[in-house]
Amino acid sequence: MAVFSSLADKLQETFKKLTGKGKLTEADINEAMRTVRMALLEADVSYKVVKDFVASVKERALGADILASLTPGQQVIKIVQEELTALMGSEQAKINMQPKPPTIVMMAGLQGSGKTTSAAKLALLFKKQHKRPLLVAGDIYRPAAIKQLEVLGEQTGIPVFSLGDKISPVEIARQGVEHAKANGNDLILIDTAGRLHIDEALMQELKDIKATVQPHEILLVVDAMAGQDAVKVAETFNAELEIDGLVLTKMDGDTRGGAALSAKAVTGKPIKFVGMGEKLDAMEPFYPDRMASRILGMGDVLTLIEKVQAEVDDQKAKELEDKMRNATFTLDDFLDQMEQLRKMGGMKDMLAMIPGIGKQIRDLEIDEREIRKVESIVLSMTPAERQDPSILNASRKQRVARGSGVQVQQVNRLLKQFEDTKKMMKKLTESGMLKQERIHKPRNKKNKGKKSGKSGGNRGGGMSSMFSKLLGR
């Protein structure tokens, strides 16, 4: 995750110095707070937000009763984590889903903020949660905006309501809601027009749409890379429209990320979703506590668990464990595992969520070409060869090499690494280590006090280790 990387490095370095001390003086805390202040300002967090944040942390740190289980340095880090979480909203803010559908969500924002794409990403996110979304093409001014939404609708399998660019956006929105009611859509996402800059005509049109369809949620889409300009935009839209929440886009492309830390404090409205990449499934609910943990280098295990649970098939996971235990794991199984990693965002993104790992792998480059090369080698084999690589004699290997565009030595290297991996996985399953890595869903209020049932039963560590070894990492 590129966002906050610079801030995270500086904060982690500062707190590393604190945790090395057995006792903290007021001078130690003052020095640490000076570094925190500069790091936040350089991350483009607004001055007032930084001033209030540092004052609050300092007050708590100087007056804190040191917990028996924590060193003084750890206590300060705990306070910073809590204050960072509070700054970004304390708890996850969800869409206000209506008991009587449809729920109407109006998307607003400046041109270029990623509004149209965000509407499609949100629709896909809720489709996976068994909602029946409808996208309404209400931007009639930007060239190809309607076509863009229709293409995104085709890619995600989500219907798009459009009346072209000759009818007013207010009427398009009104008819879109009627269409949704008639066709059983329980969630409506209305894409509205943006401008390069806020102007009176834009705001009036948005107010007219709001008055006509009475949306249950108005989400403002903000480009996180815009820094303090993004916060000013959020302030203006909130004053004019009374927004309900923010969607921050391009969070994977900005190393500063000040908008995320300032927006909630300045507008009083929560960040509800963050766009973490260009892929259509790269939209995540925003969890302030998890983001604070990422910034402070504590990882984000809960998000990692959810990603695994969302993509892993229980039955396949059990079959995979049995195959590893019996040493019948094949190259076809390896291809399946690569596909699962791809769905979850890749091995590097997964490892970055493990506490203490993120900074270590930040400069690690996993070359997509190498991954495709491995896939190409495997796919150039016959089904029989993938099931039993031992039948690959010299002539077969030459054929595979020609078919995948590599040298025979590369085929041999892959086969050797595959055999080593099978042996390693067999030992791990026999020792019970992989079974201990089985990921369970966190307990919730309904099953509090009971043992969690089996859930997305894959083993994040086993899959990552296997993938890494086969790539020669």
Side-chain angles (χ1 to χ4, degrees):
M1 183 182 67
V3 69
F4 296 126
S5 60
S6 178
L7 173 62
D9 285 348
K10 290 172 183 173
L11 292 184
Q12 289 168 36
E13 189 61 36
T14 299
F15 296 134
K16 186 178 179 181
K17 295 175 184 176
L18 289 183
T19 53
K21 297 190 176 185
K23 184 178 180 181
L24 294 183
T25 65
E26 185 172 345
D28 291 329
I29 293 174
N30 286 336
E31 177 61 30
M33 290 305 102
R34 274 195 291 273
T35 308
V36 169
R37 183 187 296 110
M38 289 305 300
L40 290 170
L41 289 172
E42 287 174 10
D44 213 10
V45 182
S46 74
Y47 176 76
K48 183 181 184 305
V49 171
V50 173
K51 183 181 176 183
D52 292 344
F53 176 82
V54 171
S56 180
V57 172
K58 185 176 177 181
E59 181 182 359
R60 287 187 60 191
L62 290 175
D65 294 326
I66 302 303
L67 299 178
S69 60
L70 300 175
T71 67
Q74 289 170 334
Q75 179 76 348
V76 174
I77 295 172
K78 182 176 182 292
I79 291 169
V80 171
Q81 183 191 24
E82 291 171 353
E83 291 293 325
L84 268 178
T85 301
L87 181 64
M88 293 185 286
S90 295
E91 296 179 352
Q92 181 205 7
K94 297 182 179 180
I95 291 286
N96 180 28
M97 291 294 179
Q98 298 301 294
K100 183 180 179 182
T103 298
I104 304 171
V105 179
M106 177 177 161
M107 309 290 290
L110 291 184
Q111 191 169 307
S113 61
K115 181 162 35 62
T116 300
T117 306
S118 293
K121 287 181 176 181
L122 282 175
L124 179 59
L125 184 67
F126 284 106
K127 180 183 177 183
K128 290 180 178 179
Q129 297 173 18
H130 310 296
K131 295 292 182 185
R132 298 183 301 281
L134 173 72
L135 290 163
V136 177
D139 183 355
I140 65 171
Y141 307 109
R142 181 169 63 88
I146 295 172
K147 182 62 178 176
Q148 180 189 1
L149 195 64
E150 289 173 342
V151 169
L152 291 170
E154 288 176 9
Q155 291 174 351
T156 55
I158 293 166
V160 176
F161 179 82
S162 169
L163 293 176
D165 58 4
K166 305 303 180 186
I167 298 177
S168 78
V170 178
E171 182 61 18
I172 291 171
R174 188 191 69 77
Q175 290 194 37
V177 171
E178 292 303 316
H179 178 86
K181 290 177 179 177
N183 289 273
N185 299 104
D186 54 10
L187 176 64
I188 306 167
L189 292 146
I190 303 173
D191 183 30
T192 63
R195 301 282 193 281
L196 293 175
H197 302 285
I198 295 170
D199 61 35
E200 190 175 337
L202 166 68
M203 283 302 173
Q204 189 57 53
E205 181 175 283
L206 294 174
K207 288 177 183 177
D208 291 343
I209 294 173
K210 177 182 177 181
T212 301
V213 301
Q214 298 182 345
H216 304 104
E217 290 266 344
I218 299 178
L219 295 181
L220 178 66
V221 181
V222 175
D223 181 348
M225 295 180 72
Q228 288 308 298
D229 286 340
V231 178
K232 291 174 185 174
V233 167
E235 280 187 287
T236 305
F237 270 87
N238 187 44
E240 295 284 343
L241 277 180
E242 294 183 39
I243 64 174
D244 296 287
L246 299 160
V247 178
L248 293 183
T249 61
K250 306 176 189 177
M251 287 283 281
D252 60 320
D254 184 18
T255 59
R256 297 177 302 171
L261 292 175
S262 302
K264 168 63 173 66
V266 172
T267 65
K269 300 301 167 68
I271 302 164
K272 295 199 172 185
F273 299 94
V274 288
M276 302 300 295
E278 295 181 4
K279 293 182 179 179
L280 286 173
D281 59 357
M283 178 70 73
E284 299 177 5
F286 183 74
Y287 296 90
D289 55 341
R290 300 184 191 183
M291 187 61 75
S293 292
R294 288 194 201 187
I295 293 171
L296 296 175
M298 299 175 183
D300 185 357
V301 175
L302 286 177
T303 298
L304 173 60
I305 288 171
E306 287 170 1
K307 281 179 176 287
V308 173
Q309 289 174 341
E311 299 298 342
V312 169
D313 181 283
D314 284 352
Q315 185 59 37
K316 280 189 175 181
K318 188 178 184 309
E319 289 173 2
L320 177 64
E321 184 179 323
D322 291 340
K323 286 182 177 183
M324 287 177 174
R325 182 176 288 110
N326 299 321
T328 56
F329 180 75
T330 69
L331 284 164
D332 280 323
D333 297 318
F334 168 61
L335 287 179
D336 285 342
Q337 294 296 296
M338 288 182 75
E339 182 58 30
Q340 285 189 22
L341 275 169
R342 187 172 282 116
K343 287 180 181 177
M344 285 182 260
M347 185 174 69
K348 184 176 178 181
D349 289 343
M350 288 176 64
L351 291 176
M353 295 180 195
I354 300 172
I357 297 291
K359 187 176 179 180
Q360 298 176 37
I361 66 165
R362 184 169 297 144
D363 297 326
L364 173 67
E365 290 300 329
I366 297 177
D367 193 339
E368 283 291 328
R369 290 173 299 181
E370 289 299 317
I371 296 173
R372 287 195 293 270
K373 193 180 293 181
V374 170
E375 288 181 322
S376 179
I377 293 172
V378 176
L379 290 171
S380 294
M381 299 176 189
T382 66
E385 290 165 349
R386 291 199 293 271
Q387 287 293 314
D388 181 13
S390 66
I391 67 173
L392 283 159
N393 55 24
S395 62
R396 286 176 181 253
K397 289 176 182 176
Q398 287 176 352
R399 189 202 74 244
V400 170
R402 285 195 303 271
S404 55
V406 300
Q407 300 296 315
V408 173
Q409 293 94 318
Q410 290 171 284
V411 176
N412 285 329
R413 185 164 64 245
L414 172 64
L415 294 173
K416 173 68 166 60
Q417 290 167 342
F418 178 71
E419 287 303 316
D420 290 345
T421 300
K422 280 176 64 175
K423 293 174 184 175
M424 177 185 72
M425 288 299 165
K426 189 172 188 294
K427 287 180 182 178
L428 287 174
T429 51
E430 287 174 346
S431 68
M433 288 179 68
L434 278 185
K435 195 162 188 176
Q436 290 168 13
E437 289 179 1
R438 183 182 295 275
I439 294 174
H440 295 285
K441 290 180 181 177
R443 295 178 185 179
N444 54 35
K445 292 180 181 177
K446 290 182 180 179
N447 63 10
K448 191 175 181 180
K450 299 177 182 178
K451 287 185 178 180
S452 300
K454 289 181 182 179
S455 64
N458 212 339
R459 297 109 193 109
M463 193 158 52
S464 299
S465 301
M466 172 180 63
F467 186 48
S468 181
K469 188 167 183 65
L470 280 164
L471 288 175
R473 306 274 170 202

